[in-house]
Amino acid sequence: MKLPVRVYIEPDPIDIEEIIERPEQKLEKLGDQVANIIYTVQEDGDEALLEFTRTFDGVDIDSLEVSPEEVEAGSRLVSQELRDAMERAKRNITAFHQAQGKKEPLVETEPGVFCWRKNRPIERVGVYIPGGTAPLFSSVLMLCIPAVLAGCKDIILTTPPGPEGNIHPAILYAASISGVTEIYKVGGAQAIAALAYGTETIPQVDKIFGPGNRYVTMAKQMVSVDTVAIDMPAGPSEVLIIADNDADPAVLAADMLSQAEHGFDSQSLLIVPDPMLSNKVIEQLKVQLERLPRKEYAAASLKYSRIICTRQKKKALELINRYAPEHLIFLRDDWDQWDEEINNAGSVFIGPWSPESAGDYASGTNHTLPTSGWARSYSGVSLESFQKHITYQRLTQEGFLSLAPTIEILAATEGLEAHRMAVEIRRRALAIPGKAEDNGVQKKGGLPT
Amino acid sequence: MKLPVRVYIEPDPIDIEEIIERPEQKLEKLGDQVANIIYTVQEDGDEALLEFTRTFDGVDIDSLEVSPEEVEAGSRLVSQELRDAMERAKRNITAFHQAQGKKEPLVETEPGVFCWRKNRPIERVGVYIPGGTAPLFSSVLMLCIPAVLAGCKDIILTTPPGPEGNIHPAILYAASISGVTEIYKVGGAQAIAALAYGTETIPQVDKIFGPGNRYVTMAKQMVSVDTVAIDMPAGPSEVLIIADNDADPAVLAADMLSQAEHGFDSQSLLIVPDPMLSNKVIEQLKVQLERLPRKEYAAASLKYSRIICTRQKKKALELINRYAPEHLIFLRDDWDQWDEEINNAGSVFIGPWSPESAGDYASGTNHTLPTSGWARSYSGVSLESFQKHITYQRLTQEGFLSLAPTIEILAATEGLEAHRMAVEIRRRALAIPGKAEDNGVQKKGGLPT
């Protein structure tokens, strides 16, 4: 068997452009179809959702809502071993995300000018979980646990029903331990439309999270410019592994395949010093591929895989930072000499005992990460993804009077006379006895406590 | 003169739906035109930019780039008074945004499982500053100063040239003190396209910031689903003022007008306890409106203004949180009793000496804030807007072995066999002498210092 993996030895600048190219995503083609689904849901609400579920999921359901009894009955089917594993993942995800909640300082930017920020939860969040044979309950944990920690009031989960009209027990159990407040049986672009605009049954949310197929991705893009925020732009999953010659070829092959099995368009890049190691990895890929139940995915997506052999650190760093991988696995002993120069990546896995699966499931970091090069500008999901901050200011009379001339000249220069006037009129009020007294900043509660 | 301000006395639920409605934005109509501009810039690069500048800005320029000599010459035209005012604003903006840089903790989520985050600058950011008669130099300060503090390498400013082909001296001076690295003379959707895709002269950036007209807003939306992040969705500016009966009607009117003068679709809401105060405010609006040079804007946008008279705190809070104002001015003595219940707002101004203009220009908070109800899910621009964080993990051999069975059962249940295999293969390596030794976590540099 010949694998379609491309190997580059000391790539030149033209090779580098080719290496960092992603498998092409042709979302635009879906535009009309998805727009039509969204429009129909806006018009017909629940009826449209039930109809689309019949059409796309092939199942006729009576009710969109999943009852507490269904959750309980489903949860009972989950083995104790799986429950324990989910609970452990939950503890670690909680520990890591809880540490992200920080109190902001009160800043007196100049005498009598107090500015501060406060984090506030996004009130209603929607979490989309894809259906299919493999129940992605880990995304339930990754998205709902931080939402609870952030203080979100309503955490609304939607996921398509299976052929019997049920939700997979593992998803129901994960939802029950993650603080989900409502669950609805609806998938695809129609679920995103329901969360974005609300229907008779499904409440409109403020932000939508979660993975999905191309229809879901397109729908998230479309609603995100209109009414609702989304976690981040989505693309196929990807990994970049950088290893030294001491790395175990079997481990390198396993790490490449654990990315490649995600789907036909997943991408694995590997940077090694020597072609010799590259050859060993390819041998291992062949051996391990045979053992995989999802080998048709993995084998197909290997055509997007590249192995790059280079001894030049500068070139390797350029590749990493320009590619901006979702996952970066660092199997080199000299990590500490690279650390400061890694600027673009979603999540980094350091050393031989940190497989990507650790972060995908149980170490505590979030697995919802920027793909397709978005790591240049986006972070993965964190506590902050479920919050926004509000800025506050309170000026004392003295602070105001001192800053007033500065504000007035700046406003006047921008031609915003009413902005200047809002300052002048306060200055003038001071000249009138009994007007606009300031008990302001001394009062209890005027500044954050 | 009769003002078009609508007054509601103890509004019922139907009134509330009407009050929180925004002036309608019909961006979709511009879609084809903007898409065409973007496409042309992608195809023809600089040539397209020069041509669009001739067409839309009515000026023929030789070079897109603003030279250091032009910056210096322009800056010399700025009065000492204006320079001092900008420098003071810069000091305060720096003080407030610098306090936002926080070091993250190292979290040992369970023994031997170390997770942490690091903030990294977004390398190349683009800042769009609109043209027109009023030079919005304050947005240069608000967007470029935090970019420098965040560590951005390239800060690229674009703004349309005036009728003589020049940039306003105040913008050039603001750029020179704010750390801008490159300035280009180009405006409109074509500037956004250039920043998103790059041309021969203008480099492609990772994130685009800044205000703009409807074409610019539409272009930002369009490129944001393709290749580049944007600061936030943009809409017309707005304020909600809540006052008690002690508030000065002249101040309330001035604060409403300072919002209304922004444009035809700006919106001011005012909540007061009594209709008596409402009447006094309307009288003051009439008086002050006459004095404004931009009174045609302010008078027109007053048709979107509403004064709500209510003594019910619950109703007032519902209005605030559902409207989610960009600016919230709090002119009530009992602020501390409301504070915890304000969940959705961009920036809050507390007490009689904190006009919105203070935050717009000089107190130190950022004036780039979420509009159109986006405050439900978005924060204003801050230091973090110019950074992303990367998560890291490093497991010790012991940490890995302890967590391995948990990861394996979770991966297997999701049907991701290669994910499980990446763990198993590491476990097996331990049984082979000399394979995959862990000197890992004890090593210098393996964990953050």
Side-chain angles (χ1 to χ4, degrees):
Chain A
M1 179 174 61
K2 184 146 169 47
L3 292 180
V5 181
R6 299 197 60 164
V7 179
Y8 297 81
I9 298 172
E10 293 300 348
D12 62 26
I14 292 164
D15 292 331
I16 287 179
E17 296 305 320
E18 191 178 284
I19 292 166
I20 64 171
E21 220 171 81
R22 255 78 179 186
E24 205 177 352
Q25 295 298 298
K26 285 247 174 266
L27 282 183
E28 312 81 56
K29 285 183 188 163
L30 311 175
D32 291 347
Q33 204 182 337
V34 172
N36 184 48
I37 293 172
I38 293 173
Y39 176 77
T40 309
V41 173
Q42 281 183 281
E43 289 296 302
D44 301 339
D46 287 348
E47 208 184 297
L49 298 181
L50 293 171
E51 180 61 36
F52 284 128
T53 303
R54 266 190 292 277
T55 310
F56 296 130
D57 303 297
V59 55
D60 211 336
I61 52 173
D62 299 328
S63 162
L64 291 162
E65 205 166 353
V66 177
S67 67
E69 292 72 33
E70 271 177 278
V71 176
E72 212 181 300
S75 294
R76 271 198 299 272
L77 301 175
V78 174
S79 71
Q80 192 58 44
E81 195 188 12
L82 183 55
R83 286 169 185 240
D84 291 345
M86 282 201 217
E87 290 288 354
R88 187 154 172 190
K90 180 187 171 185
R91 274 200 305 279
N92 290 344
I93 295 166
T94 302
F96 186 58
H97 289 77
Q98 209 153 34
Q100 294 165 8
K102 284 162 309 246
K103 213 171 142 59
E104 297 269 333
L106 169 69
V107 184
E108 190 172 2
T109 55
E110 58 174 73
V113 178
F114 296 91
C115 304
W116 66 100
R117 294 200 299 179
K118 264 190 200 179
N119 288 323
R120 287 287 191 214
I122 296 175
E123 287 184 44
R124 290 165 305 182
V125 298
V127 172
Y128 183 82
I129 301 294
T133 47
L136 292 185
F137 59 85
S138 63
S139 293
V140 179
L141 304 175
M142 291 290 176
L143 295 171
C144 301
I145 293 169
V148 171
L149 294 174
C152 300
K153 223 175 72 193
D154 300 319
I155 302 169
I156 294 148
L157 190 148
T158 73
T159 188
E164 310 295 316
N166 295 327
I167 308 293
H168 193 288
I171 288 183
L172 293 176
Y173 184 73
S176 76
I177 66 168
S178 305
V180 169
T181 56
E182 295 162 51
I183 309 176
Y184 297 99
K185 292 176 192 172
V186 59
Q190 60 272 24
I192 302 303
L195 292 168
Y197 299 99
T199 67
E200 302 90 317
T201 304
I202 301 184
Q204 185 181 35
V205 301
D206 301 316
K207 190 168 182 178
I208 300 175
F209 295 79
N213 62 20
R214 297 182 315 142
Y215 294 88
V216 169
T217 299
M218 186 74 203
K220 281 173 72 184
Q221 277 186 8
M222 283 182 164
V223 299
S224 75
V225 293
D226 187 17
T227 176
V228 74
I230 61 170
D231 44 3
M232 68 187 80
S237 195
E238 68 210 14
V239 69
L240 190 156
I241 306 158
I242 179 161
D244 56 25
N245 282 330
D246 294 336
D248 182 344
V251 166
L252 298 177
D255 286 358
M256 288 181 80
L257 287 175
S258 97
Q259 199 56 45
E261 78 171 338
H262 269 297
F264 290 112
D265 49 7
S266 302
Q267 196 169 32
S268 305
L269 304 193
L270 170 65
I271 304 177
V272 292
D274 286 341
M276 189 93 86
L277 178 53
S278 164
N279 292 339
K280 287 185 197 160
V281 171
I282 288 173
E283 284 314 304
Q284 276 293 327
L285 283 173
K286 288 180 189 168
V287 174
Q288 293 181 30
L289 196 55
E290 282 310 308
R291 293 189 215 140
L292 290 182
R294 292 166 71 98
K295 74 176 164 190
E296 76 281 15
Y297 282 102
S301 76
L302 281 181
K303 77 165 176 284
Y304 298 119
S305 290
R306 288 109 169 68
I307 302 180
I308 302 99
C309 307
T310 180
R311 295 195 153 272
Q312 297 178 48
K313 184 174 173 182
K314 208 181 137 202
K315 202 179 277 179
L317 278 167
E318 185 194 343
L319 272 170
I320 294 170
N321 284 323
R322 291 195 56 201
Y323 184 74
E326 180 190 13
H327 306 98
L328 173 60
I329 300 182
F330 222 92
L331 286 166
R332 292 184 61 99
D333 264 357
D334 59 350
W335 156 251
D336 55 317
Q337 286 159 49
W338 294 64
D339 184 22
E340 279 308 305
E341 290 172 86
I342 304 296
N343 200 39
N344 299 330
S347 198
V348 184
F349 300 78
I350 304 166
W353 309 113
S354 313
E356 193 203 302
S357 328
D360 286 342
Y361 288 108
S363 63
T365 58
N366 209 290
H367 77 194
T368 310
L369 296 165
T371 52
S372 308
W374 287 107
R376 292 195 310 271
S377 53
Y378 277 83
S379 310
V381 162
S382 68
L383 190 79
E384 294 93 334
S385 309
F386 298 91
Q387 298 178 324
K388 69 271 182 182
H389 58 246
I390 304 177
T391 50
Y392 293 83
Q393 61 204 284
R394 178 159 202 152
L395 282 68
T396 62
Q397 198 187 94
E398 295 69 30
F400 167 75
L401 282 175
S402 164
L403 196 57
T406 296
I407 305 169
E408 288 189 63
I409 182 178
L410 295 173
T413 308
E414 286 198 351
L416 294 174
E417 183 57 20
H419 281 62
R420 196 196 60 73
M421 190 67 83
V423 174
E424 191 196 299
I425 220 154
R426 282 168 166 84
R427 278 199 291 106
R428 280 196 282 138
L430 280 174
I432 306 164
K435 275 277 185 188
E437 285 154 41
D438 183 34
N439 303 310
V441 89
Q442 287 77 18
K443 267 191 193 159
K444 184 176 158 293
L447 291 177
T449 45
Chain B
M1 178 176 59
K2 182 140 170 52
L3 291 181
V5 180
R6 300 197 60 164
V7 179
Y8 297 81
I9 298 172
E10 294 299 347
D12 63 26
I14 292 164
D15 292 333
I16 287 179
E17 298 304 321
E18 191 177 283
I19 292 165
I20 64 171
E21 219 169 82
R22 255 77 180 187
E24 206 176 353
Q25 296 298 298
K26 286 247 174 266
L27 282 184
E28 312 81 58
K29 284 184 190 163
L30 310 176
D32 290 346
Q33 205 180 337
V34 172
N36 184 47
I37 292 171
I38 293 173
Y39 176 76
T40 310
V41 173
Q42 281 183 281
E43 289 294 303
D44 301 339
D46 286 349
E47 207 185 296
L49 298 180
L50 294 170
E51 180 61 37
F52 284 128
T53 302
R54 266 190 293 274
T55 309
F56 296 129
D57 303 297
V59 55
D60 211 336
I61 52 173
D62 299 327
S63 162
L64 292 162
E65 202 164 356
V66 177
S67 67
E69 293 71 34
E70 272 179 276
V71 176
E72 211 181 301
S75 295
R76 273 199 298 272
L77 301 174
V78 174
S79 72
Q80 192 58 45
E81 196 188 11
L82 183 55
R83 284 168 185 241
D84 291 345
M86 283 201 218
E87 290 286 354
R88 187 156 173 187
K90 180 188 171 183
R91 274 200 305 278
N92 290 343
I93 295 166
T94 302
F96 187 58
H97 289 76
Q98 209 152 34
Q100 294 164 9
K102 283 161 311 239
K103 213 172 143 55
E104 298 269 331
L106 168 69
V107 184
E108 190 173 1
T109 57
E110 59 174 71
V113 178
F114 297 91
C115 303
W116 66 100
R117 295 200 299 179
K118 263 190 200 178
N119 288 322
R120 287 289 189 210
I122 295 174
E123 287 185 42
R124 289 165 305 181
V125 297
V127 173
Y128 183 82
I129 301 294
T133 47
L136 293 185
F137 59 84
S138 62
S139 293
V140 179
L141 303 176
M142 292 289 176
L143 295 171
C144 302
I145 293 169
V148 170
L149 294 174
C152 300
K153 222 176 72 193
D154 299 320
I155 303 169
I156 294 148
L157 191 148
T158 73
T159 188
E164 309 295 317
N166 294 329
I167 308 293
H168 194 287
I171 288 182
L172 293 176
Y173 184 72
S176 77
I177 66 168
S178 305
V180 169
T181 55
E182 297 162 48
I183 308 177
Y184 297 98
K185 292 177 190 171
V186 59
Q190 59 274 23
I192 303 302
L195 292 169
Y197 300 99
T199 68
E200 302 90 317
T201 304
I202 301 184
Q204 185 181 34
V205 302
D206 301 316
K207 190 168 182 177
I208 301 175
F209 295 79
N213 62 20
R214 298 183 313 142
Y215 294 88
V216 169
T217 298
M218 186 73 203
K220 281 173 71 183
Q221 277 186 10
M222 284 183 165
V223 298
S224 74
V225 293
D226 188 16
T227 176
V228 75
I230 61 170
D231 45 2
M232 68 185 79
S237 196
E238 66 210 15
V239 70
L240 189 154
I241 307 158
I242 178 159
D244 57 24
N245 282 330
D246 293 337
D248 183 344
V251 167
L252 297 177
D255 285 357
M256 287 181 80
L257 288 174
S258 97
Q259 199 56 44
E261 78 172 336
H262 270 297
F264 290 112
D265 50 7
S266 301
Q267 195 169 31
S268 304
L269 304 192
L270 170 65
I271 304 177
V272 293
D274 287 342
M276 188 90 86
L277 178 55
S278 163
N279 293 339
K280 286 186 198 158
V281 171
I282 289 172
E283 283 315 304
Q284 276 292 328
L285 282 172
K286 288 179 188 166
V287 174
Q288 293 181 30
L289 197 54
E290 282 311 307
R291 293 189 217 139
L292 290 182
R294 291 165 71 99
K295 72 175 165 190
E296 76 282 15
Y297 282 101
S301 76
L302 281 181
K303 79 164 176 285
Y304 298 119
S305 291
R306 289 106 169 70
I307 302 181
I308 302 101
C309 306
T310 181
R311 294 194 154 273
Q312 297 178 46
K313 184 175 172 181
K314 207 182 138 201
K315 202 178 277 180
L317 278 168
E318 185 193 344
L319 273 169
I320 293 170
N321 284 324
R322 290 195 56 200
Y323 184 73
E326 181 190 12
H327 306 98
L328 173 61
I329 301 181
F330 223 91
L331 286 166
R332 292 185 61 99
D333 264 357
D334 59 351
W335 156 250
D336 54 319
Q337 287 159 46
W338 295 62
D339 183 20
E340 279 307 305
E341 290 172 86
I342 305 294
N343 200 39
N344 299 331
S347 198
V348 184
F349 300 78
I350 305 167
W353 308 113
S354 312
E356 192 203 302
S357 328
D360 287 341
Y361 288 109
S363 63
T365 59
N366 210 290
H367 78 191
T368 310
L369 296 165
T371 53
S372 307
W374 287 107
R376 291 194 310 272
S377 51
Y378 275 84
S379 311
V381 162
S382 68
L383 190 78
E384 293 93 335
S385 309
F386 299 91
Q387 298 177 323
K388 71 270 180 180
H389 58 244
I390 304 177
T391 51
Y392 293 81
Q393 61 204 284
R394 179 159 200 152
L395 281 67
T396 62
Q397 196 186 95
E398 294 69 31
F400 166 74
L401 282 175
S402 164
L403 196 57
T406 297
I407 304 169
E408 288 188 63
I409 182 178
L410 295 172
T413 308
E414 286 197 352
L416 294 175
E417 182 56 21
H419 282 62
R420 196 195 61 71
M421 190 66 84
V423 174
E424 191 196 300
I425 220 154
R426 282 168 166 85
R427 278 201 290 105
R428 281 196 282 138
L430 280 173
I432 305 165
K435 274 277 183 186
E437 284 154 40
D438 183 34
N439 304 308
V441 88
Q442 287 75 16
K443 268 191 191 158
K444 185 176 158 289
L447 292 175
T449 45

